[in-house]
Amino acid sequence: MSERNRIVPRVGMIGGGQLSRMTHQAGIGLGVDFSVLAADPTDSAALVAGDVTLGDDRGLDDVLAFAKAHDVVTFDHEHVPEPVLRAVEEAGGLLRPGRDALRFAQDKLRMRTRMAELDAPSPRWRAVTTLDHVASFAEEAGWPVVLKASRGGYDGKGVWVVDGPEEAGEVVDRAAAEEVPLLVEEKVAFSRELAVQVARSPHGQVAVYPVVETVQRGGICHEVIAPAPDLSEAKALRAQQLAIEIAQALDVTGVLAVELFETAEDVVVNELAMRPHNSGHWSIEGARTSQFEQHLRAVLNLPLGSPRTNAPYTVMANLLGGEDPDVYRRYLHVMAKDPEVKVHFYGKGVRPGRKIGHVTVMGDDYRDLLERARDAASYLRGDQK
Ligand SMILES: Nc1ncnc2c1ncn2[C@@H]1O[C@H](COP(=O)(O)OP(=O)(O)O)[C@@H](O)[C@H]1O
Ligand SMILES: [Mg+2]
């Protein structure tokens, strides 16, 4: 067998989900030597990557062995436990982002504490262990309040908007039984949700993307409009500067996504993700450098690419599984109906509500783009007969 000709360092991504799959896709163009640690051979990235290690993508032995086999290790999720990350770093493994940064994406209590230290605009919040704590917080902030599991949540799992003590009590009891630390936040009266991506390299170079609007339903991101229409320049700059400051203060390497709420006067930090993020999928077609390419450049300490946009607006809509798993006929129809729509599938089995892909469409009129993206997504889901 001939020797593989390696010209760039070996990047390993922990987790075989769609973020890993799309990062791999970007890595092909860059010529990056990319491999995946996936839990299952049918994971989204494991289905396509040429170099797949099957193993426990959260467990010490497999993560450690994987890190030893790569020059740089990065993540498609934040679920690798801290003791595992510590062991990898102590063994000389190079994690990007590193454990000290990742802690703030893994744990919402820590994140809130750190945001307060940085004076980043945040909702009122408090760590809570009893119903009394929640009730006394709600007396000040007013019901409803938002209870959150500090760790382990995603796509709205681990977030409960509670109207009063009875509902809050149920959440507190369940969290106590499962030993999940909780925090409570005031329910922010936001006009919409925003997100901003910034990439930061170990050299300290940063590249920030335009602020986008994210449309969430039931805790799941449904659509993204890039850039956020009619966002004031002051708020856009504020959001971008905040993202840069957070990336620097937390020593993030790779892509950082900051989820925000827009309020009448300001923007407010909701949460952080230190990896490519659903709110950045638009950038595959919509920006000179996609978030996936940018993440690879950043974790490899390469010069970053331009985050400039390719069109006045890009709209992305997530494809969620519906009741009918037979999407192929509808897939065909969506392509035929609007050839401008770019369809992305993640190779995942169809289950109701599961993110199985996304569509992207670019142009001048975001309302028209939104309508077309929504139409494609709802048709693929099987909502239209
Ligand atoms: N303090 C809050 N006030 C109002 N809505 C909130 C608040 N926190 C979260 N939400 C809503 O719940 C969604 C999910 O919360 P988030 O903390 O982002 O959890 P996840 O980790 O599941 O993404 C948010 O996108 C937003 O729609
Ligand atoms: Mg979120």
Side-chain angles (χ1 to χ4, degrees):
M1 221 164 74
S2 55
E3 185 70 359
R4 193 134 151 208
N5 189 10
R6 295 207 156 92
I7 57 165
V8 285
R10 303 198 66 197
V11 182
M13 195 168 220
I14 292 179
Q18 64 263 26
L19 301 176
S20 199
R21 179 176 170 117
M22 290 184 273
T23 305
H24 172 50
Q25 194 165 12
I28 293 171
L30 286 178
V32 166
D33 196 331
F34 180 85
S35 72
V36 177
L37 174 60
D40 193 282
T42 65
D43 283 353
S44 192
L47 291 170
V48 296
D51 189 351
V52 181
T53 303
L54 291 177
D56 179 358
D57 63 349
R58 301 170 192 205
L60 177 63
D61 293 346
D62 291 345
V63 171
L64 194 57
F66 186 71
K68 282 186 176 154
H70 294 85
D71 300 302
V72 182
V73 169
T74 189
F75 307 87
D76 104 326
H77 60 67
E78 43 273 313
H79 304 309
V80 181
E82 216 180 315
V84 174
L85 299 175
R86 180 196 299 270
V88 171
E89 287 189 336
E90 282 173 0
L94 186 55
L95 302 179
R96 288 185 175 153
R99 176 175 59 98
D100 280 343
L102 267 175
R103 301 188 308 134
F104 300 105
Q106 293 182 313
D107 188 310
K108 287 178 175 164
L109 272 169
R110 275 202 203 123
M111 180 275 291
R112 285 281 176 236
T113 307
R114 193 76 180 98
M115 289 305 103
E117 286 166 8
L118 295 176
D119 236 359
S122 308
R124 275 183 286 176
W125 66 278
R126 194 175 296 163
V128 288
T129 49
T130 66
L131 178 57
D132 277 353
H133 292 158
V134 181
S136 79
F137 177 86
E139 257 164 48
E140 290 164 33
W143 298 96
V145 293
V146 183
L147 282 165
K148 292 188 178 185
S150 185
R151 306 176 140 261
Y154 67 97
D155 281 352
K157 299 179 181 75
V159 175
W160 303 272
V161 179
V162 292
D163 289 324
E166 200 173 317
E167 268 180 68
E170 286 168 23
V171 176
V172 170
D173 289 347
R174 233 179 312 140
E178 290 168 25
E179 297 181 29
V180 175
L182 279 183
L183 67 156
V184 64
E185 295 178 358
E186 70 175 293
K187 185 163 187 289
V188 177
F190 56 77
S191 50
R192 58 178 163 173
E193 296 190 55
L194 304 171
V196 57
Q197 251 90 27
V198 60
R200 183 171 175 274
S201 71
H203 277 321
Q205 191 190 6
V206 293
V208 65
Y209 287 85
V211 181
V212 302
E213 175 174 344
T214 67
V215 182
Q216 318 266 337
R217 277 180 234 122
I220 296 182
C221 175
H222 279 248
E223 290 124 18
V224 173
I225 311 169
D230 304 318
L231 183 66
S232 75
E233 204 175 312
K235 282 180 186 167
L237 273 176
R238 167 108 159 127
Q240 288 181 313
Q241 272 161 3
L242 254 174
I244 293 170
E245 279 165 26
I246 293 169
Q248 287 169 337
L250 272 47
D251 194 20
V252 177
T253 45
V255 168
L256 167 74
V258 182
E259 294 182 6
L260 300 153
F261 301 130
E262 182 182 10
T263 58
E265 298 300 323
D266 204 354
V267 292
V268 173
V269 174
N270 176 34
E271 68 163 343
L272 310 179
M274 292 176 196
R275 49 172 170 74
H277 190 254
N278 201 168
S279 63
H281 292 357
W282 66 274
S283 63
I284 295 174
E285 290 91 0
R288 294 283 195 275
T289 311
S290 77
Q291 64 163 348
F292 300 102
E293 174 175 347
Q294 202 73 295
H295 186 73
L296 283 171
R297 285 180 178 234
V299 303
L300 281 165
N301 208 7
L302 292 167
L304 301 179
S306 165
R308 215 143 60 84
T309 54
N310 288 327
Y313 286 103
T314 304
V315 171
M316 187 256 9
N318 275 329
L319 302 176
L320 302 178
E323 296 300 333
D324 176 7
D326 180 20
V327 290
Y328 191 61
R329 186 187 55 79
R330 301 196 294 272
Y331 174 84
L332 233 153
H333 176 90
V334 160
M335 288 182 186
K337 183 171 179 191
D338 192 344
E340 294 265 318
V341 168
K342 305 305 279 184
V343 183
H344 297 252
F345 261 62
Y346 307 150
K348 289 161 73 168
V350 178
R351 283 202 303 264
R354 189 182 201 199
K355 286 179 192 168
I356 55 168
H358 71 265
V359 293
T360 307
V361 57
M362 292 153 61
D364 298 327
D365 176 353
Y366 76 86
R367 288 187 184 88
D368 167 64
L369 301 175
L370 194 55
E371 201 173 298
R372 285 157 64 196
R374 272 184 185 158
D375 186 58
S378 81
Y379 190 84
L380 265 157
R381 189 182 168 123
D383 294 347
Q384 305 167 30
K385 296 290 167 217

